[in-house]
Amino acid sequence: MASSETPDNPAPSTSPEAPTAADRGSTAAALEAARREKLAKLGELGVDPWGHRFDNVQSMAELRAEAEGMDPADQEGPTVRVAGRILLLRNAGRLVFLTLADRSGRIQVMLGKKQVGPEVWPVVGCLDLGDIVGVDGRLGYSNSGEITVFASSLTFLTKSIETPPDKYHGLVDAELRQRMRYLDLIHGDGVLERFTARIRIIEAVRRTLTDRRYLEVEGPTLHTIAGGAAARPFATHHNALDMPIVMRIALELHLKRLLVGGMERVFELGRVYRNEGISTRHNPEFTMLEAYEAYGNYETMMDLTEAIILNAAEAAGTPTQHAWMGKEIDLSAPFRRARYDDLLAEVTGCDPADPASVAAAAATREIETAGRHPDVIKSELFEATVEEKLINPTFVIDYPAGVCPLTKRKRDNPAIAERFELYVCGMELANAYTELNDPDLQEELFRTQLAGLDDDESMARMDHDFIKALRHGMPPAGGLGIGIDRLVMLLTGASSIRDVILFPIQRPQAE
RNA sequence: GGGGCCGUAGCUCAGCGGUAGAGCAAGGGACUUUUAAUCCUUUGGUCCAGGGUUCGAAUCCCUGCGGCCCCA
C-alpha cells in the first residue's frame, strides 16, 4: 500500500502502477485517491500519518465543564490537550475550524495560519473529515461564543482513507449501520450512549448480585447435552474426542451443579446460542443472566428481579416512567403479581382448571389441540392471548406443571409449578423457579417429557450426569434467568434487539 | 414458514415508461471567528443481479441476492 514512507513518489495517482481515479471510473476510487495524495504529502512533510502515543489528553466533556466556569471574554484560558476524530471542518482561508469528537462529546478547534506557524500550517491542508488528530492550545470562546481550543500545535494521529458518511445525516441505512457499527457509533445519534448504557446496565446487574454475596462463575459454553431450556442448539463436532458438541442454550444445569457443590449463591452473565428464528426480539446469540440462591424460592427471586431491574434503570439513567414500544411503562416496584390461571380466565373467559374448556378456547384461535399435552395447549393459548396485554411489569406466577420440568411443584397442588415469568410490553424479560431438587422426580419428569413432547416443545434432555449431581443433594433454591438484551431494550427504549447488540448476526455481504 | 415495503453517485435522497438529478462529500479558486460555514467552479453512475414485456425500462413483470417491518 502507498504510504508516507515513499515521499519521492508522492501521489499514488501519478504512479504508473496505480490507475488514476478517472481510469477506474469510480467516485469511491477518486475519493480515496484524494486522501492518499494527502497521505503522501504528510510523508513529504515528515509527518507520520499513523501517529504515536499521545499522553495527557483531556476529555471534551471535561473541557466543556471547565469552560462553563470561564469568562467568555477571557483571553488567557488554560492550556489544554485534546485528541479526537474530525467530524466537521470549516475552512475560512487562513483559519480552519474543526469539530473534534471523542467518546465524551465534541469540541471546536481553531487552527490559524499565523497561530500554528509555517511548520504546521501545511499539515492543516492535509486534514480530511474522519482523520484523528491531537491538539494543544488555549481553551476559550470564539467570537460567536463557541467553546473553542485555539490551537498552538497540531499532532497528526491517524489518517482515514475512507470517506465518512454524510456529515449531517450520518449513516441511515439500517444494513450499513449494522455492518459498519463503528461508523454508527461515530455518527449515529445516541448510538454510543445506548451501548454505553448497556455496559452500565451489565455493571449494575453484576453489582446487585455481588453485593448480595453471589459468586460469579463461568460455565462451559460447549455442551454434550443441550439442556435447561426448550430450544434447538447449534451443533458442531469435537475432533480430538470425535464426538458431537452443542453450543449451550442455557446456563441452568451447570449452575445447579455448583449449588450442589456448596457455592450457595452463584450467577453467570454469559452468551447462549439458539439455532432459531431471527426477529426484533431474537438474535441467535444473546446474553443471559442466570442466578441461583440456596434456601430461597421463586418469591426470593421476585425480590431479586425487582432489585436488579431498578438498579439497572438507575445506572442507565432511565426514569421510572418512560415510553417503550409506543407504550408508557411504569417501573415502580413492587411489580404487579398475577396468577397464570387468573390471567388466562380474565382474558379468554375459559376455565383454566378444565382442560376441555381450555382446548375449546384454543381451538377458536386456531391453535392445534389434537394429541397435545393439555398444559402445552394452555401455554400456547396464554402466549396467544395474555402476553400482549401485559404492558407494565407483571410477574405471572404459578405455571401449569406440565411445561415446567425443572420446577418444584406447589406443596398443596402438584399440578402447579412455582414458576414466574416477568412480562413488560408483551415481552418475556425474566423466568424463574423454585428449583426442583428431587432427583427421582427430576428423572421421571425428564422421561415423561421426552416421551410426550416434540423436541421443540420439551425443555428436557435426559442428563444423567445432572441427575447424579441432584442425587448428592442440591439445597432448596430459587433460580432466575433474565434476558439481558431485552432488559437493555427496555431501559434504553430500543425497539429492536439489533439496536442493543453491537454486532448482530447478518448474512455475509454479497461480493 | 406467510404477507408487505425497500435497494439510484462515497453518504442522504428525488426521479416511477422517453434515455441520469439534487444536497453533502471530493478536486480547483476566494475568505483570520466559522459552526450542517458561505460564495464561484469542476468532477463523479453496470440506477442490486439475471431474465422478460416494450420502438424504448432506473421506472412494468418474473426469478435471485441483500435489508427492514408485520404475522405464525
Side-chain angles (χ1 to χ4, degrees), chain A residues 246-303:
Chain A
V246 290
M247 304 294 289
R248 68 180 174 188
I249 57 170
L251 314 175
E252 176 145 357
L253 301 185
H254 289 86
L255 291 174
K256 284 179 169 175
R257 284 169 169 91
L258 297 176
L259 283 186
V260 174
M263 292 188 118
E264 292 185 340
R265 295 183 181 195
V266 287
F267 77 96
E268 177 164 7
L269 261 166
R271 208 70 61 83
V272 298
Y273 307 86
R274 297 186 181 177
N275 200 347
E276 299 184 336
I278 295 168
S279 77
T280 48
R281 338 182 143 191
H282 298 88
N283 195 62
E285 55 177 315
F286 60 100
T287 302
M288 191 110 121
L289 164 73
E290 287 197 27
Y292 293 84
E293 180 167 332
Y295 318 122
N297 68 1
Y298 73 146
E299 287 166 326
T300 320
M301 299 331 263
M302 281 186 239
D303 298 339

Side-chain angles (χ1 to χ4, degrees), chain A residues 147-349:
Chain A
I147 296 171
T148 301
V149 176
F150 296 90
S152 52
S153 78
L154 175 71
T155 307
F156 209 93
L157 293 174
T158 290
K159 189 70 195 160
S160 172
I161 295 303
E162 289 280 342
T163 311
D166 189 293
K167 68 185 180 185
Y168 184 63
H169 301 94
L171 268 195
V172 171
D173 184 85
E175 179 181 356
L176 293 180
R177 290 178 53 194
Q178 288 168 35
R179 288 198 193 281
M180 296 192 281
R181 184 66 90 188
Y182 43 90
L183 291 183
D184 195 30
L185 287 164
I186 296 166
H187 297 100
D189 212 21
V191 176
L192 178 58
E193 290 75 8
R194 188 168 66 242
F195 284 105
T196 306
R198 178 183 174 119
I199 292 163
R200 301 286 170 249
I201 287 166
I202 290 172
E203 284 171 352
V205 169
R206 180 170 277 125
R207 193 174 349 102
T208 303
L209 288 159
T210 53
D211 282 355
R212 288 162 196 243
R213 293 181 290 113
Y214 273 77
L215 303 176
E216 180 171 9
V217 299
E218 294 172 277
T221 59
L222 300 178
H223 287 189
T224 52
I225 296 168
R232 286 234 304 279
F234 285 92
T236 182
H237 185 265
H238 190 279
N239 291 340
L241 296 175
D242 189 22
M243 64 179 208
I245 291 283
V246 290
M247 304 294 289
R248 68 180 174 188
I249 57 170
L251 314 175
E252 176 145 357
L253 301 185
H254 289 86
L255 291 174
K256 284 179 169 175
R257 284 169 169 91
L258 297 176
L259 283 186
V260 174
M263 292 188 118
E264 292 185 340
R265 295 183 181 195
V266 287
F267 77 96
E268 177 164 7
L269 261 166
R271 208 70 61 83
V272 298
Y273 307 86
R274 297 186 181 177
N275 200 347
E276 299 184 336
I278 295 168
S279 77
T280 48
R281 338 182 143 191
H282 298 88
N283 195 62
E285 55 177 315
F286 60 100
T287 302
M288 191 110 121
L289 164 73
E290 287 197 27
Y292 293 84
E293 180 167 332
Y295 318 122
N297 68 1
Y298 73 146
E299 287 166 326
T300 320
M301 299 331 263
M302 281 186 239
D303 298 339
L304 180 63
T305 303
E306 285 172 350
I308 286 171
I309 292 176
L310 294 183
N311 289 342
E314 192 184 352
T318 308
T320 305
Q321 302 195 351
H322 75 290
W324 187 43
M325 314 280 251
K327 302 264 171 45
E328 274 302 313
I329 306 295
D330 183 351
L331 293 177
S332 307
F335 300 157
R336 178 188 179 203
R337 301 181 184 195
R339 295 186 63 248
Y340 187 97
D341 278 1
D342 293 346
L343 287 168
L344 196 62
E346 181 187 313
V347 173
T348 69

Side-chain angles (χ1 to χ4, degrees), chain A residues 405-443:
Chain A
L406 297 160
T407 312
K408 188 170 283 200
R409 279 75 179 96
K410 281 202 133 7
R411 273 172 268 200
D412 55 2
N413 185 355
I416 300 294
E418 289 198 349
R419 171 181 184 177
F420 77 74
E421 288 193 354
L422 175 66
Y423 283 89
V424 184
C425 251
M427 191 182 293
E428 180 197 340
L429 209 64
N431 179 22
Y433 317 138
T434 299
E435 301 296 340
L436 178 61
N437 63 340
D438 173 342
D440 295 339
L441 179 55
Q442 181 69 81
E443 186 167 7

Side-chain angles (χ1 to χ4, degrees), chain A residues 427-487:
Chain A
M427 191 182 293
E428 180 197 340
L429 209 64
N431 179 22
Y433 317 138
T434 299
E435 301 296 340
L436 178 61
N437 63 340
D438 173 342
D440 295 339
L441 179 55
Q442 181 69 81
E443 186 167 7
E444 184 192 324
L445 289 177
F446 276 172
R447 278 193 207 295
T448 55
Q449 289 269 314
L450 285 170
L453 296 176
D454 295 341
D455 267 8
D456 286 355
E457 291 169 343
S458 172
M459 283 196 197
R461 302 282 188 286
M462 182 56 75
D463 187 336
H464 294 288
D465 184 75
F466 173 65
I467 300 287
K468 180 84 169 174
L470 289 189
R471 287 159 63 93
H472 282 278
M474 184 181 88
L480 165 68
I482 293 181
I484 294 296
D485 309 277
R486 291 177 175 185
L487 177 62

